[in-house]
Amino acid sequence: MTQGTGHGENGDRDRSPEEAALSERLGNLDQRLSEFRDRHVKTEQPAGDGEDRAARASAMALGFRLSSELVAGVVVGAGIGWGFDRLLSTSPFGFIVFLLLGFVAGVVNVVRTAGAGQNRRGGS
């Protein structure tokens, strides 16, 4: 029964070369894992810069979105005003009124979008 469990003298003698080989393989694996971890940690450190770049890109995207919403509101308002002026022959008045309405609509959209972005980030 002692040979089957490996606790007797014969079991220790038979397993000694196997254990030595296993111990050597385990040591080599540990060394390779340590080297891999060191390389992996070194490559992860610049990832902080990548996160910073992603944050800047996200802020730029939000800025472009806000500016395009403001410009779109003004352009659409001016277009509608120009169309009313052409249809109704009220030369500058429709253009001026709808240009101002488009500006107000653009500002409202910008404020709404900027406010939604603040709430999403946990601001007040």
Side-chain angles (χ1 to χ4, degrees):
M1 212 183 238
T2 56
Q3 286 180 349
T5 59
H7 292 293
E9 289 179 22
N10 291 338
D12 288 342
R13 227 178 305 145
D14 291 340
R15 292 182 183 248
S16 180
E18 291 176 12
E19 287 180 4
L22 183 62
S23 178
E24 183 180 343
R25 286 177 55 199
L26 199 58
N28 289 339
L29 179 62
D30 186 40
Q31 182 182 5
R32 288 189 342 215
L33 282 174
S34 295
E35 291 172 1
F36 179 75
R37 284 186 195 128
D38 290 342
R39 278 184 278 154
H40 189 62
V41 167
K42 288 178 185 175
T43 57
E44 275 188 7
Q45 289 174 351
D49 292 336
E51 291 172 3
D52 189 35
R53 288 181 194 158
R56 281 185 285 182
S58 177
M60 268 180 95
L62 182 62
F64 279 127
R65 180 179 175 192
L66 294 177
S67 62
S68 66
E69 285 191 16
L70 180 64
V71 169
V74 172
V75 168
V76 167
I80 292 173
W82 180 80
F84 272 113
D85 281 343
R86 297 283 282 172
L87 287 174
L88 303 175
S89 298
T90 58
S91 186
F93 301 110
F95 180 77
I96 292 170
V97 168
F98 279 98
L99 181 73
L100 292 174
L101 286 175
F103 177 74
V104 169
V107 169
V108 167
N109 281 338
V110 167
V111 169
R112 185 182 309 148
T113 303
Q118 270 188 339
N119 290 338
R120 195 174 45 228
R121 283 184 292 246
S124 53

PDB file of all heavy atoms in Angstrom, residues 15-53:
ATOM      1  N   ARG A  15      10.055   8.504  -7.253  1.00  0.00           N
ATOM      2  CA  ARG A  15       9.528   9.803  -7.678  1.00  0.00           C
ATOM      3  C   ARG A  15      10.564  10.923  -7.577  1.00  0.00           C
ATOM      4  O   ARG A  15      10.324  12.003  -8.053  1.00  0.00           O
ATOM      5  CB  ARG A  15       8.296  10.167  -6.865  1.00  0.00           C
ATOM      6  CG  ARG A  15       7.140   9.252  -7.191  1.00  0.00           C
ATOM      7  CD  ARG A  15       5.930   9.661  -6.426  1.00  0.00           C
ATOM      8  NE  ARG A  15       4.860   8.729  -6.697  1.00  0.00           N
ATOM      9  CZ  ARG A  15       3.774   9.047  -7.373  1.00  0.00           C
ATOM     10  NH1 ARG A  15       3.590  10.265  -7.794  1.00  0.00           N
ATOM     11  NH2 ARG A  15       2.850   8.149  -7.597  1.00  0.00           N
ATOM     12  N   SER A  16      11.650  10.675  -6.983  1.00  0.00           N
ATOM     13  CA  SER A  16      12.644  11.720  -6.805  1.00  0.00           C
ATOM     14  C   SER A  16      13.105  12.320  -8.129  1.00  0.00           C
ATOM     15  O   SER A  16      13.146  13.532  -8.259  1.00  0.00           O
ATOM     16  CB  SER A  16      13.824  11.174  -6.005  1.00  0.00           C
ATOM     17  OG  SER A  16      14.779  12.174  -5.821  1.00  0.00           O
ATOM     18  N   PRO A  17      13.475  11.548  -9.171  1.00  0.00           N
ATOM     19  CA  PRO A  17      13.861  12.175 -10.442  1.00  0.00           C
ATOM     20  C   PRO A  17      12.687  12.904 -11.104  1.00  0.00           C
ATOM     21  O   PRO A  17      12.869  13.970 -11.697  1.00  0.00           O
ATOM     22  CB  PRO A  17      14.323  11.003 -11.309  1.00  0.00           C
ATOM     23  CG  PRO A  17      14.625   9.896 -10.364  1.00  0.00           C
ATOM     24  CD  PRO A  17      13.750  10.107  -9.178  1.00  0.00           C
ATOM     25  N   GLU A  18      11.491  12.346 -10.961  1.00  0.00           N
ATOM     26  CA  GLU A  18      10.309  13.002 -11.536  1.00  0.00           C
ATOM     27  C   GLU A  18      10.040  14.325 -10.841  1.00  0.00           C
ATOM     28  O   GLU A  18       9.736  15.327 -11.489  1.00  0.00           O
ATOM     29  CB  GLU A  18       9.091  12.096 -11.441  1.00  0.00           C
ATOM     30  CG  GLU A  18       9.145  10.884 -12.328  1.00  0.00           C
ATOM     31  CD  GLU A  18       7.954   9.972 -12.109  1.00  0.00           C
ATOM     32  OE1 GLU A  18       6.994  10.398 -11.433  1.00  0.00           O
ATOM     33  OE2 GLU A  18       7.997   8.849 -12.612  1.00  0.00           O
ATOM     34  N   GLU A  19      10.161  14.288  -9.514  1.00  0.00           N
ATOM     35  CA  GLU A  19       9.921  15.528  -8.764  1.00  0.00           C
ATOM     36  C   GLU A  19      10.978  16.571  -9.088  1.00  0.00           C
ATOM     37  O   GLU A  19      10.687  17.757  -9.171  1.00  0.00           O
ATOM     38  CB  GLU A  19       9.881  15.239  -7.272  1.00  0.00           C
ATOM     39  CG  GLU A  19       8.621  14.531  -6.840  1.00  0.00           C
ATOM     40  CD  GLU A  19       8.598  14.238  -5.347  1.00  0.00           C
ATOM     41  OE1 GLU A  19       9.545  14.661  -4.643  1.00  0.00           O
ATOM     42  OE2 GLU A  19       7.640  13.603  -4.911  1.00  0.00           O
ATOM     43  N   ALA A  20      12.201  16.133  -9.286  1.00  0.00           N
ATOM     44  CA  ALA A  20      13.264  17.075  -9.635  1.00  0.00           C
ATOM     45  C   ALA A  20      12.993  17.692 -11.002  1.00  0.00           C
ATOM     46  O   ALA A  20      13.148  18.908 -11.190  1.00  0.00           O
ATOM     47  CB  ALA A  20      14.614  16.373  -9.617  1.00  0.00           C
ATOM     48  N   ALA A  21      12.590  16.856 -11.952  1.00  0.00           N
ATOM     49  CA  ALA A  21      12.284  17.377 -13.285  1.00  0.00           C
ATOM     50  C   ALA A  21      11.084  18.315 -13.237  1.00  0.00           C
ATOM     51  O   ALA A  21      11.067  19.366 -13.877  1.00  0.00           O
ATOM     52  CB  ALA A  21      12.019  16.221 -14.247  1.00  0.00           C
ATOM     53  N   LEU A  22      10.087  17.919 -12.454  1.00  0.00           N
ATOM     54  CA  LEU A  22       8.901  18.765 -12.316  1.00  0.00           C
ATOM     55  C   LEU A  22       9.250  20.081 -11.647  1.00  0.00           C
ATOM     56  O   LEU A  22       8.790  21.142 -12.061  1.00  0.00           O
ATOM     57  CB  LEU A  22       7.825  18.022 -11.521  1.00  0.00           C
ATOM     58  CG  LEU A  22       6.499  18.734 -11.343  1.00  0.00           C
ATOM     59  CD1 LEU A  22       5.856  18.980 -12.700  1.00  0.00           C
ATOM     60  CD2 LEU A  22       5.567  17.930 -10.462  1.00  0.00           C
ATOM     61  N   SER A  23      10.096  20.005 -10.632  1.00  0.00           N
ATOM     62  CA  SER A  23      10.506  21.222  -9.934  1.00  0.00           C
ATOM     63  C   SER A  23      11.282  22.140 -10.884  1.00  0.00           C
ATOM     64  O   SER A  23      11.104  23.361 -10.862  1.00  0.00           O
ATOM     65  CB  SER A  23      11.355  20.854  -8.725  1.00  0.00           C
ATOM     66  OG  SER A  23      11.791  22.010  -8.069  1.00  0.00           O
ATOM     67  N   GLU A  24      12.142  21.539 -11.721  1.00  0.00           N
ATOM     68  CA  GLU A  24      12.900  22.342 -12.690  1.00  0.00           C
ATOM     69  C   GLU A  24      11.972  22.986 -13.713  1.00  0.00           C
ATOM     70  O   GLU A  24      12.112  24.173 -14.030  1.00  0.00           O
ATOM     71  CB  GLU A  24      13.916  21.453 -13.397  1.00  0.00           C
ATOM     72  CG  GLU A  24      14.800  22.204 -14.364  1.00  0.00           C
ATOM     73  CD  GLU A  24      15.790  21.279 -15.045  1.00  0.00           C
ATOM     74  OE1 GLU A  24      16.014  20.162 -14.558  1.00  0.00           O
ATOM     75  OE2 GLU A  24      16.331  21.698 -16.084  1.00  0.00           O
ATOM     76  N   ARG A  25      11.014  22.235 -14.205  1.00  0.00           N
ATOM     77  CA  ARG A  25      10.054  22.785 -15.170  1.00  0.00           C
ATOM     78  C   ARG A  25       9.227  23.894 -14.533  1.00  0.00           C
ATOM     79  O   ARG A  25       8.928  24.913 -15.162  1.00  0.00           O
ATOM     80  CB  ARG A  25       9.139  21.677 -15.683  1.00  0.00           C
ATOM     81  CG  ARG A  25       9.833  20.750 -16.664  1.00  0.00           C
ATOM     82  CD  ARG A  25       8.949  19.615 -17.114  1.00  0.00           C
ATOM     83  NE  ARG A  25       7.684  20.076 -17.664  1.00  0.00           N
ATOM     84  CZ  ARG A  25       6.603  19.319 -17.785  1.00  0.00           C
ATOM     85  NH1 ARG A  25       6.626  18.051 -17.380  1.00  0.00           N
ATOM     86  NH2 ARG A  25       5.502  19.803 -18.306  1.00  0.00           N
ATOM     87  N   LEU A  26       8.849  23.684 -13.272  1.00  0.00           N
ATOM     88  CA  LEU A  26       8.071  24.693 -12.557  1.00  0.00           C
ATOM     89  C   LEU A  26       8.887  25.971 -12.369  1.00  0.00           C
ATOM     90  O   LEU A  26       8.376  27.085 -12.522  1.00  0.00           O
ATOM     91  CB  LEU A  26       7.615  24.135 -11.209  1.00  0.00           C
ATOM     92  CG  LEU A  26       6.467  24.833 -10.524  1.00  0.00           C
ATOM     93  CD1 LEU A  26       5.244  24.833 -11.411  1.00  0.00           C
ATOM     94  CD2 LEU A  26       6.163  24.153  -9.210  1.00  0.00           C
ATOM     95  N   GLY A  27      10.166  25.825 -12.066  1.00  0.00           N
ATOM     96  CA  GLY A  27      11.046  26.990 -11.925  1.00  0.00           C
ATOM     97  C   GLY A  27      11.186  27.742 -13.230  1.00  0.00           C
ATOM     98  O   GLY A  27      11.150  28.977 -13.260  1.00  0.00           O
ATOM     99  N   ASN A  28      11.353  27.006 -14.348  1.00  0.00           N
ATOM    100  CA  ASN A  28      11.445  27.642 -15.658  1.00  0.00           C
ATOM    101  C   ASN A  28      10.163  28.374 -16.008  1.00  0.00           C
ATOM    102  O   ASN A  28      10.182  29.484 -16.544  1.00  0.00           O
ATOM    103  CB  ASN A  28      11.759  26.608 -16.744  1.00  0.00           C
ATOM    104  CG  ASN A  28      13.176  26.099 -16.655  1.00  0.00           C
ATOM    105  OD1 ASN A  28      14.034  26.743 -16.069  1.00  0.00           O
ATOM    106  ND2 ASN A  28      13.428  24.927 -17.230  1.00  0.00           N
ATOM    107  N   LEU A  29       9.024  27.750 -15.712  1.00  0.00           N
ATOM    108  CA  LEU A  29       7.737  28.383 -15.980  1.00  0.00           C
ATOM    109  C   LEU A  29       7.568  29.650 -15.156  1.00  0.00           C
ATOM    110  O   LEU A  29       7.113  30.674 -15.660  1.00  0.00           O
ATOM    111  CB  LEU A  29       6.601  27.403 -15.687  1.00  0.00           C
ATOM    112  CG  LEU A  29       5.191  27.923 -15.908  1.00  0.00           C
ATOM    113  CD1 LEU A  29       4.987  28.287 -17.377  1.00  0.00           C
ATOM    114  CD2 LEU A  29       4.172  26.904 -15.462  1.00  0.00           C
ATOM    115  N   ASP A  30       7.987  29.591 -13.898  1.00  0.00           N
ATOM    116  CA  ASP A  30       7.890  30.766 -13.038  1.00  0.00           C
ATOM    117  C   ASP A  30       8.760  31.899 -13.564  1.00  0.00           C
ATOM    118  O   ASP A  30       8.343  33.060 -13.583  1.00  0.00           O
ATOM    119  CB  ASP A  30       8.292  30.388 -11.609  1.00  0.00           C
ATOM    120  CG  ASP A  30       8.089  31.524 -10.628  1.00  0.00           C
ATOM    121  OD1 ASP A  30       7.059  32.218 -10.748  1.00  0.00           O
ATOM    122  OD2 ASP A  30       8.947  31.713  -9.738  1.00  0.00           O
ATOM    123  N   GLN A  31       9.950  31.558 -14.035  1.00  0.00           N
ATOM    124  CA  GLN A  31      10.835  32.580 -14.582  1.00  0.00           C
ATOM    125  C   GLN A  31      10.245  33.194 -15.847  1.00  0.00           C
ATOM    126  O   GLN A  31      10.252  34.415 -16.021  1.00  0.00           O
ATOM    127  CB  GLN A  31      12.195  31.964 -14.884  1.00  0.00           C
ATOM    128  CG  GLN A  31      13.204  32.956 -15.421  1.00  0.00           C
ATOM    129  CD  GLN A  31      14.533  32.286 -15.749  1.00  0.00           C
ATOM    130  OE1 GLN A  31      14.664  31.072 -15.660  1.00  0.00           O
ATOM    131  NE2 GLN A  31      15.507  33.084 -16.140  1.00  0.00           N
ATOM    132  N   ARG A  32       9.707  32.366 -16.735  1.00  0.00           N
ATOM    133  CA  ARG A  32       9.111  32.890 -17.963  1.00  0.00           C
ATOM    134  C   ARG A  32       7.890  33.745 -17.662  1.00  0.00           C
ATOM    135  O   ARG A  32       7.666  34.780 -18.305  1.00  0.00           O
ATOM    136  CB  ARG A  32       8.731  31.735 -18.900  1.00  0.00           C
ATOM    137  CG  ARG A  32       9.936  31.084 -19.513  1.00  0.00           C
ATOM    138  CD  ARG A  32       9.624  30.091 -20.606  1.00  0.00           C
ATOM    139  NE  ARG A  32       8.272  29.601 -20.639  1.00  0.00           N
ATOM    140  CZ  ARG A  32       7.919  28.372 -20.991  1.00  0.00           C
ATOM    141  NH1 ARG A  32       8.836  27.497 -21.311  1.00  0.00           N
ATOM    142  NH2 ARG A  32       6.660  28.011 -21.020  1.00  0.00           N
ATOM    143  N   LEU A  33       7.075  33.327 -16.676  1.00  0.00           N
ATOM    144  CA  LEU A  33       5.911  34.136 -16.299  1.00  0.00           C
ATOM    145  C   LEU A  33       6.339  35.475 -15.721  1.00  0.00           C
ATOM    146  O   LEU A  33       5.714  36.507 -15.991  1.00  0.00           O
ATOM    147  CB  LEU A  33       5.037  33.389 -15.295  1.00  0.00           C
ATOM    148  CG  LEU A  33       4.130  32.317 -15.869  1.00  0.00           C
ATOM    149  CD1 LEU A  33       3.442  31.554 -14.741  1.00  0.00           C
ATOM    150  CD2 LEU A  33       3.104  32.914 -16.782  1.00  0.00           C
ATOM    151  N   SER A  34       7.407  35.474 -14.935  1.00  0.00           N
ATOM    152  CA  SER A  34       7.898  36.737 -14.372  1.00  0.00           C
ATOM    153  C   SER A  34       8.360  37.676 -15.474  1.00  0.00           C
ATOM    154  O   SER A  34       8.064  38.876 -15.454  1.00  0.00           O
ATOM    155  CB  SER A  34       9.055  36.467 -13.406  1.00  0.00           C
ATOM    156  OG  SER A  34       8.604  35.734 -12.299  1.00  0.00           O
ATOM    157  N   GLU A  35       9.089  37.133 -16.462  1.00  0.00           N
ATOM    158  CA  GLU A  35       9.532  37.961 -17.580  1.00  0.00           C
ATOM    159  C   GLU A  35       8.344  38.495 -18.372  1.00  0.00           C
ATOM    160  O   GLU A  35       8.319  39.656 -18.779  1.00  0.00           O
ATOM    161  CB  GLU A  35      10.448  37.155 -18.497  1.00  0.00           C
ATOM    162  CG  GLU A  35      11.785  36.829 -17.878  1.00  0.00           C
ATOM    163  CD  GLU A  35      12.600  35.857 -18.720  1.00  0.00           C
ATOM    164  OE1 GLU A  35      12.116  35.454 -19.806  1.00  0.00           O
ATOM    165  OE2 GLU A  35      13.707  35.502 -18.293  1.00  0.00           O
ATOM    166  N   PHE A  36       7.346  37.640 -18.581  1.00  0.00           N
ATOM    167  CA  PHE A  36       6.159  38.072 -19.313  1.00  0.00           C
ATOM    168  C   PHE A  36       5.414  39.168 -18.568  1.00  0.00           C
ATOM    169  O   PHE A  36       4.986  40.150 -19.157  1.00  0.00           O
ATOM    170  CB  PHE A  36       5.235  36.871 -19.545  1.00  0.00           C
ATOM    171  CG  PHE A  36       3.975  37.222 -20.274  1.00  0.00           C
ATOM    172  CD1 PHE A  36       3.989  37.473 -21.632  1.00  0.00           C
ATOM    173  CD2 PHE A  36       2.768  37.338 -19.594  1.00  0.00           C
ATOM    174  CE1 PHE A  36       2.834  37.809 -22.305  1.00  0.00           C
ATOM    175  CE2 PHE A  36       1.608  37.672 -20.245  1.00  0.00           C
ATOM    176  CZ  PHE A  36       1.641  37.909 -21.609  1.00  0.00           C
ATOM    177  N   ARG A  37       5.284  39.011 -17.255  1.00  0.00           N
ATOM    178  CA  ARG A  37       4.606  40.040 -16.448  1.00  0.00           C
ATOM    179  C   ARG A  37       5.358  41.356 -16.509  1.00  0.00           C
ATOM    180  O   ARG A  37       4.753  42.426 -16.601  1.00  0.00           O
ATOM    181  CB  ARG A  37       4.475  39.571 -15.004  1.00  0.00           C
ATOM    182  CG  ARG A  37       3.405  38.564 -14.791  1.00  0.00           C
ATOM    183  CD  ARG A  37       3.228  38.250 -13.307  1.00  0.00           C
ATOM    184  NE  ARG A  37       2.449  37.042 -13.151  1.00  0.00           N
ATOM    185  CZ  ARG A  37       2.803  35.993 -12.423  1.00  0.00           C
ATOM    186  NH1 ARG A  37       3.941  36.019 -11.747  1.00  0.00           N
ATOM    187  NH2 ARG A  37       2.040  34.937 -12.334  1.00  0.00           N
ATOM    188  N   ASP A  38       6.692  41.292 -16.435  1.00  0.00           N
ATOM    189  CA  ASP A  38       7.486  42.520 -16.506  1.00  0.00           C
ATOM    190  C   ASP A  38       7.278  43.228 -17.840  1.00  0.00           C
ATOM    191  O   ASP A  38       7.100  44.442 -17.880  1.00  0.00           O
ATOM    192  CB  ASP A  38       8.974  42.209 -16.316  1.00  0.00           C
ATOM    193  CG  ASP A  38       9.296  41.776 -14.893  1.00  0.00           C
ATOM    194  OD1 ASP A  38       8.475  42.029 -13.991  1.00  0.00           O
ATOM    195  OD2 ASP A  38      10.376  41.165 -14.701  1.00  0.00           O
ATOM    196  N   ARG A  39       7.294  42.463 -18.935  1.00  0.00           N
ATOM    197  CA  ARG A  39       7.061  43.075 -20.246  1.00  0.00           C
ATOM    198  C   ARG A  39       5.651  43.614 -20.348  1.00  0.00           C
ATOM    199  O   ARG A  39       5.435  44.687 -20.895  1.00  0.00           O
ATOM    200  CB  ARG A  39       7.295  42.049 -21.358  1.00  0.00           C
ATOM    201  CG  ARG A  39       8.758  41.897 -21.707  1.00  0.00           C
ATOM    202  CD  ARG A  39       8.921  40.969 -22.867  1.00  0.00           C
ATOM    203  NE  ARG A  39       8.867  39.612 -22.314  1.00  0.00           N
ATOM    204  CZ  ARG A  39       8.487  38.540 -22.965  1.00  0.00           C
ATOM    205  NH1 ARG A  39       8.116  38.623 -24.212  1.00  0.00           N
ATOM    206  NH2 ARG A  39       8.464  37.359 -22.393  1.00  0.00           N
ATOM    207  N   HIS A  40       4.686  42.891 -19.808  1.00  0.00           N
ATOM    208  CA  HIS A  40       3.286  43.306 -19.891  1.00  0.00           C
ATOM    209  C   HIS A  40       3.047  44.573 -19.086  1.00  0.00           C
ATOM    210  O   HIS A  40       2.337  45.467 -19.524  1.00  0.00           O
ATOM    211  CB  HIS A  40       2.390  42.171 -19.408  1.00  0.00           C
ATOM    212  CG  HIS A  40       0.936  42.409 -19.642  1.00  0.00           C
ATOM    213  ND1 HIS A  40       0.410  42.552 -20.897  1.00  0.00           N
ATOM    214  CD2 HIS A  40      -0.103  42.544 -18.777  1.00  0.00           C
ATOM    215  CE1 HIS A  40      -0.888  42.750 -20.801  1.00  0.00           C
ATOM    216  NE2 HIS A  40      -1.220  42.765 -19.526  1.00  0.00           N
ATOM    217  N   VAL A  41       3.651  44.677 -17.929  1.00  0.00           N
ATOM    218  CA  VAL A  41       3.493  45.876 -17.099  1.00  0.00           C
ATOM    219  C   VAL A  41       4.149  47.062 -17.786  1.00  0.00           C
ATOM    220  O   VAL A  41       3.614  48.163 -17.795  1.00  0.00           O
ATOM    221  CB  VAL A  41       4.091  45.636 -15.691  1.00  0.00           C
ATOM    222  CG1 VAL A  41       4.220  46.932 -14.929  1.00  0.00           C
ATOM    223  CG2 VAL A  41       3.243  44.649 -14.923  1.00  0.00           C
ATOM    224  N   LYS A  42       5.284  46.857 -18.434  1.00  0.00           N
ATOM    225  CA  LYS A  42       5.953  47.951 -19.132  1.00  0.00           C
ATOM    226  C   LYS A  42       5.127  48.437 -20.312  1.00  0.00           C
ATOM    227  O   LYS A  42       5.093  49.617 -20.593  1.00  0.00           O
ATOM    228  CB  LYS A  42       7.331  47.504 -19.617  1.00  0.00           C
ATOM    229  CG  LYS A  42       8.325  47.354 -18.494  1.00  0.00           C
ATOM    230  CD  LYS A  42       9.658  46.865 -18.999  1.00  0.00           C
ATOM    231  CE  LYS A  42      10.611  46.606 -17.845  1.00  0.00           C
ATOM    232  NZ  LYS A  42      11.872  46.026 -18.274  1.00  0.00           N
ATOM    233  N   THR A  43       4.452  47.539 -21.013  1.00  0.00           N
ATOM    234  CA  THR A  43       3.627  47.959 -22.137  1.00  0.00           C
ATOM    235  C   THR A  43       2.324  48.578 -21.674  1.00  0.00           C
ATOM    236  O   THR A  43       1.707  49.324 -22.409  1.00  0.00           O
ATOM    237  CB  THR A  43       3.326  46.783 -23.086  1.00  0.00           C
ATOM    238  OG1 THR A  43       2.687  45.747 -22.345  1.00  0.00           O
ATOM    239  CG2 THR A  43       4.597  46.262 -23.714  1.00  0.00           C
ATOM    240  N   GLU A  44       1.882  48.282 -20.472  1.00  0.00           N
ATOM    241  CA  GLU A  44       0.636  48.869 -19.975  1.00  0.00           C
ATOM    242  C   GLU A  44       0.823  50.288 -19.482  1.00  0.00           C
ATOM    243  O   GLU A  44      -0.101  51.059 -19.446  1.00  0.00           O
ATOM    244  CB  GLU A  44       0.061  48.021 -18.826  1.00  0.00           C
ATOM    245  CG  GLU A  44      -0.772  46.869 -19.279  1.00  0.00           C
ATOM    246  CD  GLU A  44      -1.474  46.187 -18.125  1.00  0.00           C
ATOM    247  OE1 GLU A  44      -1.410  46.707 -16.996  1.00  0.00           O
ATOM    248  OE2 GLU A  44      -2.079  45.151 -18.348  1.00  0.00           O
ATOM    249  N   GLN A  45       2.026  50.665 -19.082  1.00  0.00           N
ATOM    250  CA  GLN A  45       2.241  52.006 -18.557  1.00  0.00           C
ATOM    251  C   GLN A  45       1.907  53.090 -19.570  1.00  0.00           C
ATOM    252  O   GLN A  45       1.258  54.059 -19.228  1.00  0.00           O
ATOM    253  CB  GLN A  45       3.673  52.139 -18.040  1.00  0.00           C
ATOM    254  CG  GLN A  45       3.895  51.355 -16.762  1.00  0.00           C
ATOM    255  CD  GLN A  45       5.352  51.363 -16.332  1.00  0.00           C
ATOM    256  OE1 GLN A  45       6.216  51.807 -17.063  1.00  0.00           O
ATOM    257  NE2 GLN A  45       5.604  50.863 -15.143  1.00  0.00           N
ATOM    258  N   PRO A  46       2.294  52.984 -20.843  1.00  0.00           N
ATOM    259  CA  PRO A  46       1.870  54.014 -21.801  1.00  0.00           C
ATOM    260  C   PRO A  46       0.373  53.987 -22.061  1.00  0.00           C
ATOM    261  O   PRO A  46      -0.155  54.908 -22.643  1.00  0.00           O
ATOM    262  CB  PRO A  46       2.643  53.670 -23.074  1.00  0.00           C
ATOM    263  CG  PRO A  46       3.806  52.875 -22.622  1.00  0.00           C
ATOM    264  CD  PRO A  46       3.317  52.134 -21.405  1.00  0.00           C
ATOM    265  N   ALA A  47      -0.327  52.944 -21.612  1.00  0.00           N
ATOM    266  CA  ALA A  47      -1.765  52.890 -21.828  1.00  0.00           C
ATOM    267  C   ALA A  47      -2.469  54.034 -21.103  1.00  0.00           C
ATOM    268  O   ALA A  47      -3.541  54.453 -21.482  1.00  0.00           O
ATOM    269  CB  ALA A  47      -2.333  51.546 -21.367  1.00  0.00           C
ATOM    270  N   GLY A  48      -1.856  54.555 -20.043  1.00  0.00           N
ATOM    271  CA  GLY A  48      -2.417  55.726 -19.383  1.00  0.00           C
ATOM    272  C   GLY A  48      -2.477  56.898 -20.341  1.00  0.00           C
ATOM    273  O   GLY A  48      -3.415  57.680 -20.357  1.00  0.00           O
ATOM    274  N   ASP A  49      -1.437  57.026 -21.187  1.00  0.00           N
ATOM    275  CA  ASP A  49      -1.449  58.055 -22.218  1.00  0.00           C
ATOM    276  C   ASP A  49      -2.570  57.789 -23.209  1.00  0.00           C
ATOM    277  O   ASP A  49      -3.206  58.705 -23.696  1.00  0.00           O
ATOM    278  CB  ASP A  49      -0.107  58.095 -22.953  1.00  0.00           C
ATOM    279  CG  ASP A  49       1.019  58.580 -22.047  1.00  0.00           C
ATOM    280  OD1 ASP A  49       0.711  59.279 -21.065  1.00  0.00           O
ATOM    281  OD2 ASP A  49       2.178  58.242 -22.323  1.00  0.00           O
ATOM    282  N   GLY A  50      -2.801  56.508 -23.521  1.00  0.00           N
ATOM    283  CA  GLY A  50      -3.886  56.152 -24.433  1.00  0.00           C
ATOM    284  C   GLY A  50      -5.236  56.519 -23.861  1.00  0.00           C
ATOM    285  O   GLY A  50      -6.125  56.979 -24.578  1.00  0.00           O
ATOM    286  N   GLU A  51      -5.395  56.312 -22.550  1.00  0.00           N
ATOM    287  CA  GLU A  51      -6.652  56.702 -21.913  1.00  0.00           C
ATOM    288  C   GLU A  51      -6.811  58.209 -21.942  1.00  0.00           C
ATOM    289  O   GLU A  51      -7.907  58.719 -22.147  1.00  0.00           O
ATOM    290  CB  GLU A  51      -6.681  56.188 -20.476  1.00  0.00           C
ATOM    291  CG  GLU A  51      -6.791  54.679 -20.371  1.00  0.00           C
ATOM    292  CD  GLU A  51      -6.634  54.172 -18.955  1.00  0.00           C
ATOM    293  OE1 GLU A  51      -6.486  55.008 -18.036  1.00  0.00           O
ATOM    294  OE2 GLU A  51      -6.640  52.953 -18.772  1.00  0.00           O
ATOM    295  N   ASP A  52      -5.696  58.932 -21.764  1.00  0.00           N
ATOM    296  CA  ASP A  52      -5.743  60.389 -21.820  1.00  0.00           C
ATOM    297  C   ASP A  52      -6.112  60.839 -23.234  1.00  0.00           C
ATOM    298  O   ASP A  52      -6.902  61.756 -23.415  1.00  0.00           O
ATOM    299  CB  ASP A  52      -4.390  60.960 -21.407  1.00  0.00           C
ATOM    300  CG  ASP A  52      -4.423  62.463 -21.239  1.00  0.00           C
ATOM    301  OD1 ASP A  52      -5.463  62.977 -20.792  1.00  0.00           O
ATOM    302  OD2 ASP A  52      -3.403  63.113 -21.543  1.00  0.00           O
ATOM    303  N   ARG A  53      -5.542  60.157 -24.234  1.00  0.00           N
ATOM    304  CA  ARG A  53      -5.891  60.481 -25.619  1.00  0.00           C
ATOM    305  C   ARG A  53      -7.357  60.207 -25.890  1.00  0.00           C
ATOM    306  O   ARG A  53      -8.015  60.967 -26.594  1.00  0.00           O
ATOM    307  CB  ARG A  53      -5.033  59.664 -26.582  1.00  0.00           C
ATOM    308  CG  ARG A  53      -3.609  60.109 -26.639  1.00  0.00           C
ATOM    309  CD  ARG A  53      -2.844  59.276 -27.630  1.00  0.00           C
ATOM    310  NE  ARG A  53      -1.427  59.481 -27.450  1.00  0.00           N
ATOM    311  CZ  ARG A  53      -0.505  58.634 -27.835  1.00  0.00           C
ATOM    312  NH1 ARG A  53      -0.842  57.515 -28.417  1.00  0.00           N
ATOM    313  NH2 ARG A  53       0.756  58.898 -27.637  1.00  0.00           N
TER     314      ARG A  53
END
